[in-house]
Amino acid sequence: QVQLVESGGGLVQPGGSLRLSCAASGSDLSAYAMGWYRQAPGKQRDMVATITSGNSTYYADSVKGRFTISRDDAKNTVYLQMNSLKAEDTAVYYCNALYMDLWRKYDYWGQGTQVTVSS
């Protein structure tokens, strides 16, 4: 089993920055696609950013130019650098690891970390 643990969330003022980390254990994540998702109260869980095993990145339109996803496979860790934060970014942020072979999907989630953007 893959265990994912997010950290780095907290309270920040609009315009501020945070860096989220997702530390993995139980498996080498180098072959997984990794992603950050977020969910606000009463809302669905939406993709924020993803990064493939080949380091291709994808971002939700709402965060393009402000957020950067990266991975350090030597440390088995994925990061989300969040700049120019807005109140609308307030949510619980979840780390995801996804691997697919011919037979099944391997899909793992962390417990989430709260990000609150407020004055």
Side-chain angles (χ1 to χ4, degrees), residues 12-19 38 62-68 81-90 93 115 117:
V12 65
Q13 292 185 326
S17 297
L18 286 173
R19 189 174 82 153
R38 66 187 182 188
S62 59
V63 307
K64 285 181 180 177
R66 299 189 297 121
F67 291 10
T68 303
Q81 179 66 47
M82 305 186 294
N83 298 325
S84 302
L85 283 161
K86 305 174 180 179
E88 303 84 74
D89 297 317
T90 296
Y93 284 70
V115 172
V117 185

Side-chain angles (χ1 to χ4, degrees), residues 3-10 20-23 35-39 45 82 91-96 108-116:
Q3 185 89 92
L4 304 174
V5 179
E6 302 96 334
S7 62
L20 306 184
S21 298
C22 174
W36 287 96
Y37 294 72
R38 66 187 182 188
Q39 186 170 24
R45 187 174 297 186
M82 305 186 294
V92 177
Y93 284 70
Y94 297 91
C95 180
N96 171 255
Y108 302 96
W109 294 90
Q111 296 299 304
T113 185
Q114 177 71 49
V115 172
T116 302

Side-chain angles (χ1 to χ4, degrees), residues 40-119:
K43 304 291 186 179
Q44 66 181 18
R45 187 174 297 186
D46 292 328
M47 188 274 288
V48 176
T50 59
I51 184 166
T52 69
S53 60
N55 282 329
S56 296
T57 58
Y58 306 89
Y59 297 93
D61 287 342
S62 59
V63 307
K64 285 181 180 177
R66 299 189 297 121
F67 291 10
T68 303
I69 188 171
S70 61
R71 64 194 299 161
D72 186 341
D73 288 334
K75 296 181 180 293
N76 237 21
T77 301
V78 179
Y79 305 95
L80 184 68
Q81 179 66 47
M82 305 186 294
N83 298 325
S84 302
L85 283 161
K86 305 174 180 179
E88 303 84 74
D89 297 317
T90 296
V92 177
Y93 284 70
Y94 297 91
C95 180
N96 171 255
L98 175 65
Y99 174 77
M100 293 188 294
D101 60 23
L102 291 174
W103 302 278
R104 60 161 289 183
K105 295 180 180 179
Y106 302 84
D107 196 7
Y108 302 96
W109 294 90
Q111 296 299 304
T113 185
Q114 177 71 49
V115 172
T116 302
V117 185
S118 177
S119 298

Side-chain angles (χ1 to χ4, degrees), residues 24-35:
S25 61
S27 184
D28 182 1
L29 293 186
S30 62
Y32 286 73
M34 304 296 298

